Amino acid sequence: MKSMEGRLVCVMVWAASTICCSFLRSWMELFPNHAVVRPDRMLPCRRKPERCEGDNAHTLYRSSESDHGTDTASCSEHGQSPSQLSMSGSGGDAQCESNSNKRRRQDKGTPLERFDRKHLSVTDLTRQAWCEQQVFYGLELPHIQQLRDDAPVVKAGSSIHLARELEIQDIVPINIESREDSWAVKLINFLSMIQFLQAGERVRELPVFGEVEGILLVGVIDELCYSSSGELELRELKTRAQPTFPSAAQRKSYHLQVSVYKLLFEALVKGQLKKDTIVQHLQLQTERSFGSEVMLHAKKMGLFVNTFGELLDLIFLNLTYIEIPTIDVLKIEYCYQADASVIGTEVVRFEEKRVVKELKHYCSFWKGQREAQGVDIEEAWKCRSCDFADICQWREKKAEEAVARNRANHRK
């Protein structure tokens, strides 16, 4: 195992590609097993939690942010800290009134502005593929959406994902003190896993991000690995409450998910994402110093960086010199929750033109170019399991249209 001084040389001298390659080798020797960070404590929330898609690296370090859609914070959707949530009486009423006034001021903005979203998760878009109107009501009524996310079937699926992840990497909690810290954790995990992937190893819970239609998308790839023939495979795990394959409607959203992961990953490794794009969308302070625990962890990983801007520079420098192939195969594995047995595996055909067209359509909602749309009449069966069915204006509108058509037909 090389010394920290040796790694310091590899990290600090950024000008030459040979130094970068030396850095990769020293990283692998220093960390033969994966370690991923997960932030252990969320900062006080000042915005509604966004659904994200996870973070990792083989000892995965994590904050209380999970990117399986967004920041899964322990604070409320109105930005209160856990201690504030226990307050009641006039103070709580005042907070609700304040948030209500804020929502009214934002009603005329785009959904991104109204719901204070600096980025979207891939999960946000795949939920639109199921029912966009349901996504909208989940944003308007986050307490109901949280109940959906806390359902036993969802937690059972998360447990299976975690067990898979722990097969090859450890999770290390780390405290964060700022949004810059939180994103630093994601980037450190990403950089760590890229080194292992370049060495031909399997990685799980790989964070990816990129710009699509002017919107920053964030996601987490369940698994990347090489096949026996040397092809790079993306594998997505989906758990099922019943030992059967999902419906065509469910598979449609899953196909979109893995296809978007491929687009984001390949844009990253090809150097198509720029530093300024991340900074602009996330509105982070590049000169802000990291918190003590993030700083200590970065040094342990051989990253002698003090600010978010320095870390971004290092990330994009490494992306300039790494040699990672594009993803050749997209696979979805379906697993039965009761005993974690495999139901079957589906190979997904990547159709870039179709995926880009779908993304443009879904992003147009977030940019305020059109209203949310519900399901077509052929898929009205989805409404039977929807928590928002009783208040759904789209459903009511379609019912009225059906009645009007029937009356018109009777007159003929």
Side-chain angles (χ1 to χ4, degrees):
M1 186 175 289
K2 291 191 175 183
S3 66
M4 296 297 287
E5 290 79 5
R7 291 169 64 210
L8 174 61
V9 173
C10 297
V11 175
M12 294 304 291
V13 184
W14 292 357
S17 62
T18 53
I19 296 298
C20 233
C21 293
S22 176
F23 166 69
L24 301 184
R25 288 194 299 270
S26 65
W27 186 301
M28 297 298 298
E29 292 176 18
L30 233 102
F31 298 97
N33 297 315
H34 292 259
V36 186
V37 184
R38 299 277 163 84
D40 185 45
R41 181 184 60 206
M42 258 327 256
L43 23 150
C45 256
R46 295 187 181 178
R47 57 190 172 87
K48 188 176 80 72
E50 309 161 89
R51 285 192 56 79
C52 314
E53 308 227 281
D55 0 333
N56 275 27
H58 282 30
T59 298
L60 185 59
Y61 292 80
R62 290 186 180 157
S63 64
S64 303
E65 257 186 79
S66 161
D67 235 15
H68 278 286
T70 70
D71 307 343
T72 51
S74 56
C75 51
S76 77
E77 63 273 12
H78 300 303
Q80 295 169 289
S81 67
S83 59
Q84 290 173 313
L85 288 175
S86 63
M87 296 174 64
S88 59
S90 59
D93 294 338
Q95 178 68 37
C96 290
E97 182 179 353
S98 173
N99 289 319
S100 177
N101 291 336
K102 180 180 179 182
R103 175 61 55 83
R104 282 196 293 270
R105 289 196 303 270
Q106 293 177 333
D107 275 348
K108 295 183 180 180
T110 69
L112 284 173
E113 296 166 341
R114 289 179 60 187
F115 301 108
D116 201 12
R117 304 295 291 272
K118 294 179 175 61
H119 68 273
L120 296 178
S121 72
V122 176
T123 303
D124 289 321
L125 300 186
T126 57
R127 285 181 170 181
Q128 285 176 265
W130 177 261
C131 178
E132 190 172 76
Q133 188 69 56
Q134 186 183 82
V135 172
F136 176 76
Y137 284 129
L139 294 167
E140 286 280 357
L141 304 168
H143 57 288
I144 296 180
Q145 183 61 52
Q146 188 61 51
L147 291 175
R148 293 170 61 89
D149 295 341
D150 290 341
V153 66
V154 176
K155 291 188 175 182
S158 299
S159 297
I160 293 176
H161 273 85
L162 179 60
R164 286 279 186 97
E165 181 183 354
L166 292 175
E167 290 175 357
I168 65 169
Q169 59 200 27
D170 299 321
I171 298 176
V172 177
I174 186 171
N175 287 331
I176 60 173
E177 301 174 14
S178 65
R179 291 180 59 241
E180 288 75 15
D181 279 2
S182 180
W183 271 89
V185 165
K186 288 183 176 68
L187 294 177
I188 292 172
N189 288 336
F190 170 78
L191 182 58
S192 172
M193 279 198 260
I194 285 296
Q195 319 308 328
F196 285 93
L197 190 63
Q198 189 171 11
E201 295 196 29
R202 176 193 312 266
V203 297
R204 285 180 176 155
E205 300 294 312
L206 173 70
V208 288
F209 34 88
E211 187 179 47
V212 175
E213 292 293 317
I215 297 174
L216 186 67
L217 286 186
V218 177
V220 175
I221 296 175
D222 276 353
E223 181 177 327
L224 280 179
C225 62
Y226 294 95
S227 67
S228 57
S229 60
E231 292 182 317
L232 184 58
E233 294 186 354
L234 184 153
R235 298 180 179 180
E236 177 72 14
L237 174 64
K238 295 298 180 185
T239 63
R240 303 276 298 155
Q242 301 295 328
T244 58
F245 276 92
S247 66
Q250 288 173 309
R251 293 202 303 273
K252 176 185 175 182
S253 63
Y254 299 159
H255 293 181
L256 176 63
Q257 181 179 4
V258 296
S259 297
V260 175
Y261 285 159
K262 174 178 167 68
L263 287 177
L264 295 178
F265 175 80
E266 293 182 356
L268 271 173
V269 298
K270 290 177 182 177
Q272 296 174 359
L273 181 64
K274 305 303 179 185
K275 170 185 174 180
D276 291 343
T277 301
I278 295 179
V279 174
Q280 176 185 348
H281 281 290
L282 298 178
Q283 300 176 21
L284 298 174
Q285 301 177 39
T286 56
E287 300 304 317
R288 181 167 183 166
S289 296
F290 294 135
S292 57
E293 290 201 21
V294 174
M295 188 96 69
L296 178 62
H297 169 64
K299 290 181 179 179
K300 287 181 179 178
M301 300 296 285
L303 307 177
F304 288 81
V305 291
N306 297 317
T307 67
F308 186 72
E310 291 176 0
L311 179 58
L312 278 178
D313 288 336
L314 179 58
I315 294 290
F316 286 101
L317 176 74
N318 275 268
L319 290 176
T320 301
Y321 296 110
I322 60 172
E323 296 180 0
I324 299 289
T326 56
I327 296 171
D328 301 297
V329 182
L330 302 175
K331 288 184 177 181
I332 302 176
E333 178 184 320
Y334 298 103
C335 174
Y336 183 34
Q337 287 185 353
D339 57 10
S341 61
V342 176
I343 300 170
T345 301
E346 178 182 14
V347 177
V348 178
R349 180 183 176 186
F350 179 69
E351 301 176 66
E352 185 171 358
K353 289 184 179 179
R354 177 186 59 80
V355 173
V356 170
K357 182 179 179 181
E358 285 188 50
L359 288 175
K360 185 174 183 178
H361 173 71
Y362 293 135
C363 288
S364 66
F365 159 72
W366 292 100
K367 294 191 289 186
Q369 296 171 352
R370 61 177 179 82
E371 296 295 322
Q373 298 175 354
V375 299
D376 294 328
I377 191 67
E378 294 80 9
E379 294 187 335
W381 53 268
K382 293 179 180 179
C383 301
R384 293 197 296 267
S385 61
C386 181
D387 295 319
F388 307 109
D390 292 340
I391 63 169
C392 182
Q393 294 179 353
W394 176 272
R395 187 165 175 257
E396 181 180 345
K397 174 186 174 183
K398 290 299 178 181
E400 292 173 351
E401 290 175 355
V403 170
R405 282 196 301 269
N406 289 335
R407 287 175 178 170
N409 291 334
H410 285 311
R411 294 193 194 104
K412 294 180 180 179

